[in-house]
Structure formats: structure tokens, C-alpha cells
Amino acid sequence: MFQNDAEVITAGLDIEKVRNDFPLLKRTVFNKPLVYFDNAATSQKPFIVLDALEDYYRRYNSNVHRGVHSLSQEATEAYEEARRKVAAFINAKHSHEIIFTRGTTESINLVASSFSKKFLKEGDSILISAMEHHSNIVPWQMVCEEKNTKLEVIAMNNQGELLMDDFEKKLADKVKLVSVTYVSNSLGTINPVDKIIRLAHSKNIPVLIDAAQAVVHLPIDVQKLDADFVAFSGHKIYGPTGLGILYGKEEWLNKLPPYQGGGEMIKTVTFEKTTYNELPYKFEAGTPDVAGAIGLGVAIDYLEGLGRENIYKAEDELLEYAMQALSSVKGLRFIGPLKNRVGSISFLLDDFHPFDVGEILDKQGIAVRTGHHCTQPVMDFFNIPGTVRASLSFYNTKAEIDQLVKGLERARMILS
């Protein structure tokens, strides 16, 4: 077993204090202390976020915008303040470039639907990568079927890295949009999105970045990246579930038609004609998740309070330790790159089915994700049924990684 430093201070963070901020980390599972390594699926929530949700529903629960009474005005201000916090978090030029959605999936569907209505015609193509989540595959397949367009795929190698030569070759005139993940949820790969955006823009092709797995592990500056669209989810960054973000450049959002019709996204309605609202409300039909937006804003406050650089350093330390520790497990095979990655670690243990390994780990109080992780084409590429995925957060510890190693050794013994 590797030496566990066990120090309380890691990369500028008081880990013991940080862990006390997250009530669910104190749970037990099968009478064992919970070890939560499923952060890529969803993160846990600090007390400050949970308190903000309760405070909204207890003190000023009301619909936002248009209301003249005090509760509505309080809710509206809190809701719009959350939008401003998100804009600052990713350095958007304008807060009205931030669209609240239900998650990364809806954000991508919004772009796919609205973009295709105005900018796709028969014979055009959309370019994605071989490591996309289903939410960045299926919407484009639906669009291609409807518009009789083609879905092109950037190939990857056996290390789970994109082949940039193949990308440049496929970046043809027929490509009308590139939509790629910043970080693979199943492989942990960090893709060279800055180069992808630069090459696409050299041919006047817009780019959508799926940042669901990147926004929590990497600093994202949308102006520096120069991405046209960026999508991510609040629950990946310690906020509530059911709340997502679509960032879009003002010029693009103004060009796109609305995604849904209804209240809020209109200025005037008659039976003859509807005039659409200005940004961002043009894309926010109906009553929004007010509490979710407020909770996400508070989650951002929490992260900023800890210091994002401190968080990134802590996660880098944990990743390095985890890769070294897991390498000591006999029969363990990593799926994905060993470098230029984040802490979503996919692996197989001998020839045992991932579900069996995950179930035995669960009985030891260790929560990991097993299966294809909504990336079935990735699993088909590697000719495997799925993987075990242990995904790290800054609130995890080296001692928990040691427990994972022991758990895997026990699983190997039982399954053998």
C-alpha cells in the first residue's frame, strides 16, 4: 500500500473542514463510512447550497419577472444575480449570453434544434467526436434524419485521444457546426478544444463545447476560448440537479430562432403574430427553476470562496496519487489516457464484469459508477461491455483512495 500522507491541509484546502460542509459525506452504507467516487455523475452539495434552496421556498417563493409584489421582486433579483454569477464564473462578456436550461442535455438539444431550423440544409454535415456522450450524439442524429444531413465523427486512438489529423481532414466546406466534448466523461481525456475552435473558425464554422465534465475541473474562460456555444450542468459543480447552462455568443443567440414557445419568451402575442422577447428570455419559455438557479449561484460563491486554484491543485494531487495507487492492483487495466486527463478514472479488473466489481465495492461502502456511462460507441471501440469509473472531487482523500485499492483487491479475491 502506498504511503498515505493523511495531512489535513492539501493544496491550500483544509480538507477536514471542507468535508464537514457536505452532510451526505457523513453517511454510512452497509454500516461502512461512505466513500463517494461517483462525482462525474453528480457532485454532493454543501450546506450553504441546501440552505439557499430551503430559504427560497420558505421565505420568498414566487415566480420571477413581471410581478410587482415584493416576493416576486426578491425572487427575480436573486434569479438574475445567479445569472450574473454564472457569467462571471466563465467570463462571459454579457450576462444575457447565459441561458438557463434543465441541464447539458437540454442545452445541446436547444442548439441542435434552433441551429438546424435556420442553418442546415440537405447535404450539410455536423462534426462530432468518437468519445461523445449520448447527449451530444442523439440530438444531432435526430437533426440529420430530419434535414437529410450527415453526421461525421472525429476518430480517436487506442489511448482515448482524438486524432487531430482526422479532424482537419474532415473539416470540409459541408461542415456547418462542430460539437465536441471538452473532457470525456468515460475516459477522462482533456481534448485540445482551443485548437479545435481555432481551426474551425479559420473556415468560419461555429463550435459548441460540451463542458459538463470540464467546468468542475478546469478554468473556463469563454472569451479566451472563443467558443460559440458552451453547455454544462449545475449539479456537476455542487449545485442542484435539473439546472443547466447554455452560453452562447450574443451574435449567435440573436440569429437562432426560439427553442420552445410559451410565456416569458415573448414580447407580444396576438392570434395573428407573436413577437419574441430579447435575450436571454427568448430561450427561457415557461416558469424556470428559480430555486435551482439561486442554488447554483450559491455553489459558485462556495467554490470561489475556497479558491478555484486550490481546488484544481487538490484534485491534481488526488489524481496523481490515485493513478499510482490503482496501478498497484493486480489485473487492473486503465481505459483512457494516462496523462492529460482529469480524475474520472475508468478501468477493468481482470475479466470480471464491471457490474460485479461495482456491487462488491458497494458492499464495502464505496460508490463508483459502472456501465457504458452513456458512451456506448466508446465501449464498442474498445470492445468492452463497460468500465468501472471512480471519479474524484476535491473533498475526497488519499485515505479513501487507499480504501478503493483494498476494495478492489477484495473484489478480485471474491470473484476469483
Side-chain angles (χ1 to χ4, degrees):
M1 183 61 59
F2 287 85
Q3 179 65 35
N4 177 18
D5 297 334
E7 64 263 31
V8 174
I9 305 298
T10 301
L13 294 180
D14 185 335
I15 299 300
E16 185 176 338
K17 182 179 178 182
V18 165
R19 288 178 64 82
N20 285 334
D21 291 338
F22 293 84
L24 197 140
L25 297 181
K26 297 184 181 298
R27 263 206 64 173
T28 59
V29 176
F30 295 109
N31 296 317
K32 305 277 196 317
L34 172 67
V35 175
Y36 188 76
F37 282 142
D38 196 20
N39 296 287
T42 195
S43 60
Q44 297 307 328
K45 321 305 172 194
F47 276 114
I48 190 173
V49 170
L50 302 176
D51 291 345
L53 297 175
E54 183 177 8
D55 184 58
Y56 165 75
Y57 283 117
R58 282 186 179 275
R59 289 202 314 111
Y60 59 106
N61 174 39
S62 179
N63 215 326
V64 294
H65 305 132
R66 302 181 303 280
V68 297
H69 61 83
S70 297
L71 294 186
S72 179
Q73 291 181 34
E74 285 181 41
T76 298
E77 175 53 31
Y79 181 73
E80 292 302 332
E81 177 61 17
R83 195 191 307 275
R84 292 189 287 270
K85 289 176 182 179
V86 173
F89 189 70
I90 61 173
N91 194 32
K93 190 174 182 180
H94 307 289
S95 63
H96 58 251
E97 294 177 315
I98 303 301
I99 310 298
F100 286 126
T101 66
R102 290 181 300 155
T104 305
T105 299
E106 185 174 52
S107 295
I108 295 172
N109 273 273
L110 189 162
V111 176
S113 176
S114 296
F115 185 88
S116 67
K117 287 177 183 176
K118 191 167 184 179
F119 295 101
L120 282 188
K121 62 181 185 301
E122 184 174 349
D124 290 338
S125 63
I126 299 293
L127 184 55
I128 64 172
S129 86
M131 62 179 70
E132 298 306 321
H133 189 281
H134 293 166
S135 62
N136 202 26
I137 300 174
V138 179
W140 300 113
Q141 288 177 329
M142 294 168 69
V143 162
C144 288
E145 184 176 350
E146 179 183 346
K147 291 286 188 174
N148 198 21
T149 55
K150 187 176 181 182
L151 190 64
E152 297 273 5
V153 180
I154 309 163
M156 67 178 175
N157 62 24
N158 290 328
Q159 285 71 51
E161 301 162 328
L162 291 185
L163 299 177
M164 292 301 290
D165 289 346
D166 187 61
F167 169 66
E168 293 189 51
K169 184 176 70 174
K170 288 176 177 172
L171 200 61
D173 292 339
K174 289 290 187 181
V175 174
K176 299 305 176 184
L177 184 136
V178 176
S179 187
V180 294
T181 185
Y182 197 151
V183 171
S184 166
N185 73 301
S186 58
L187 301 173
T189 311
I190 301 174
N191 287 321
V193 296
D194 51 349
K195 185 177 181 181
I196 289 171
I197 293 167
R198 187 172 67 252
L199 289 170
H201 283 180
S202 71
K203 298 195 174 187
N204 297 316
I205 300 171
V207 180
L208 184 155
I209 298 297
D210 174 356
Q213 297 296 326
V215 69
V216 68
H217 299 298
L218 304 169
I220 292 183
D221 183 330
V222 294
Q223 292 190 68
K224 185 177 179 181
L225 272 179
D226 199 28
D228 302 282
F229 305 99
V230 176
F232 60 94
S233 299
H235 71 101
K236 308 287 190 184
I237 52 173
Y238 312 99
T241 57
L243 194 283
I245 299 297
L246 173 66
Y247 159 81
K249 285 182 179 176
E250 181 181 43
E251 60 183 289
W252 271 110
L253 293 177
N254 280 326
K255 290 177 185 176
L256 297 184
Y259 174 52
Q260 294 177 319
E264 185 66 14
M265 52 74 65
I266 53 85
K267 275 189 176 180
T268 60
V269 175
T270 68
F271 286 115
E272 289 73 34
K273 182 177 176 59
T274 292
T275 304
Y276 302 135
N277 208 341
E278 61 189 11
L279 296 177
Y281 313 114
K282 183 174 80 168
F283 294 103
E284 293 182 357
T287 298
D289 184 357
V290 181
I294 294 169
L296 176 57
V298 172
I300 288 173
D301 289 341
Y302 178 79
L303 295 176
E304 298 288 21
L306 293 178
R308 281 196 272 174
E309 285 302 319
N310 292 331
I311 290 171
Y312 303 146
K313 288 177 183 176
E315 290 183 344
D316 286 344
E317 284 185 26
L318 284 171
L319 174 59
E320 183 179 359
Y321 187 86
M323 295 296 286
Q324 187 181 14
L326 289 169
S327 296
S328 72
V329 178
K330 186 177 179 181
L332 186 141
R333 173 165 65 103
F334 293 110
I335 306 296
L338 299 180
K339 296 181 179 179
N340 194 35
R341 56 166 303 123
V342 301
S344 293
I345 307 170
S346 275
F347 56 86
L348 294 172
L349 187 62
D350 284 332
D351 293 327
F352 308 131
H353 198 285
F355 292 165
D356 296 332
V357 176
E359 189 173 19
I360 293 173
L361 289 175
D362 182 49
K363 295 299 189 293
Q364 300 173 74
I366 303 170
V368 295
R369 180 74 40 168
T370 62
H372 54 66
H373 316 297
C374 290
T375 57
Q376 285 183 325
V378 171
M379 302 304 144
D380 292 341
F381 175 83
F382 287 102
N383 195 29
I384 55 178
T387 68
V388 180
R389 185 185 69 189
S391 48
L392 310 178
S393 166
F394 64 89
Y395 51 53
N396 290 126
T397 66
K398 294 176 182 178
E400 289 181 319
I401 293 169
D402 291 343
Q403 287 177 259
L404 175 60
V405 169
K406 289 180 180 178
L408 289 169
E409 290 171 345
R410 178 168 175 76
R412 189 173 184 279
M413 180 184 69
I414 292 172
L415 293 172
S416 295

